[in-house]
């Protein structure tokens, strides 16, 4: 998400992890771990969500983040899930396909002393969602979904989330290429929207069964 033109975001493949700039540091911007700096692995396609986007998103989510159960799909650096933990989320589950990136995220959770609230699963996001939820993966109240661009992954992920992964009134943050008009479940109501460079982030609120 931090804009870096070589390689272009549009050339990311489904096997690439989220957000790249090479090695660097991730700065948490609010909450318990505010201003903590964490190393970012030097890996193609890996870069933290920009500070401005995270700050705006978590201002929107301020009423619901404390005590939340968060799911960070295509986690990459884990910037969104880590920010949620810093701001009071009860727990966060990070799903990351690349084994080296997943291990780096585990290390950063240890550096923060947050291993009791953060868990990393080294798995493909769609394969993870295709398996039935278990008692170890209770319904999530907050989901961060930032799939690789132009790989047609957003819609199937949204559909799979509706198969038992979401709490009744969950919030879902979906980031896609700006030219994409995402097809989301009818129970998801657009709450807020932000554009940064060639990407657009949309925050949805899942309506309860009675539609209120």
């Amino acid at each position: 998400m931090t804009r870096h033109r070589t390689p272009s975001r549009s050339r990311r493949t489904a096997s690439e992890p989220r957000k790249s700039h090479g090695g660097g540091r991730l700065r948490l911007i609010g909450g318990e771990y505010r201003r903590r700096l964490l190393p970012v692995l030097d890996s193609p396609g890996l870069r933290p969500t920009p500070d401005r986007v995270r700050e705006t998103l978590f201002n929107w989510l301020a009423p619901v983040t404390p005590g939340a159960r968060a799911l960070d799909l295509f986690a990459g650096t884990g910037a969104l899930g880590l920010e949620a933990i810093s701001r009071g989320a009860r727990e966060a589950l990070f799903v990351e396909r690349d084994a080296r990136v997943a291990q780096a995220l585990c290390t950063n959770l240890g550096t923060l002393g947050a291993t009791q609230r953060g868990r990393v699963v080294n798995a493909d996001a769609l394969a993870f969602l295709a398996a039935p939820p278990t008692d170890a993966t209770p319904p999530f109240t907050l989901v961060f979904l930032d799939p690789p661009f132009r790989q047609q992954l957003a819609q199937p992920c949204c559909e799979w989330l509706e198969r038992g992964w979401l709490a009744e009134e969950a919030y879902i943050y979906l980031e896609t290429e700006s030219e994409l008009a995402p097809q989301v479940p009818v129970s998801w109501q657009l709450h807020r929207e932000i554009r940064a460079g060639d990407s657009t982030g949309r925050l949805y609120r899942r309506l309860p069964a009675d539609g209120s």
Side-chain angles (χ1 to χ4, degrees), residues 145-150 152-159 161 172-195 198-204:
L145 175 57
D146 183 8
F149 283 5
R150 302 175 180 89
Q152 292 77 53
L153 292 171
Q155 184 172 343
C157 284
C158 293
E159 292 172 355
L161 282 169
I172 306 99
Y173 175 72
L174 172 62
E175 185 172 320
T176 67
E177 58 272 33
S178 291
E179 67 267 23
L180 180 68
Q183 299 298 309
V184 301
V186 295
S187 59
W188 294 14
Q189 181 181 69
L190 184 62
H191 183 63
R192 294 284 192 275
E193 184 173 311
I194 184 171
R195 181 163 181 169
D198 61 352
S199 67
T200 296
R202 297 174 176 90
L203 179 63
Y204 297 92

Side-chain angles (χ1 to χ4, degrees), residues 9-70:
R9 177 73 178 263
S10 65
R11 294 170 60 188
R12 285 168 57 191
T13 68
S15 63
E16 288 178 339
R18 183 175 72 190
K19 310 179 178 63
S20 152
H21 187 75
R25 293 191 296 178
L26 163 67
R27 181 175 69 94
L28 298 177
I29 57 177
E32 180 180 355
Y33 305 122
R34 184 181 182 187
R35 297 193 180 95
R36 290 291 297 271
L37 294 172
L38 298 170
V40 172
L41 190 69
D42 186 359
S43 178
L46 191 70
R47 54 186 168 185
T49 304
D51 288 5
R52 180 179 69 85
V53 174
R54 273 186 288 140
E55 184 169 10
T56 298
L57 173 61
F58 281 94
N59 284 342
W60 296 340
L61 291 171
V64 298
T65 302
R69 291 188 174 99

Side-chain angles (χ1 to χ4, degrees), residues 109-188:
L109 283 166
T111 298
L112 293 174
T115 55
Q116 296 302 308
R117 290 194 288 154
R119 183 164 66 94
V120 181
V121 175
N122 179 203
D124 175 82
L126 273 177
F128 173 82
L129 292 176
T134 67
D135 290 342
T137 53
F140 293 99
T141 57
L142 186 55
V143 174
F144 304 109
L145 175 57
D146 183 8
F149 283 5
R150 302 175 180 89
Q151 301 299 318
Q152 292 77 53
L153 292 171
Q155 184 172 343
C157 284
C158 293
E159 292 172 355
W160 279 110
L161 282 169
E162 278 294 322
R163 303 185 187 187
W165 293 101
L166 300 175
E168 188 175 64
E169 298 185 54
Y171 283 81
I172 306 99
Y173 175 72
L174 172 62
E175 185 172 320
T176 67
E177 58 272 33
S178 291
E179 67 267 23
L180 180 68
Q183 299 298 309
V184 301
V186 295
S187 59
W188 294 14

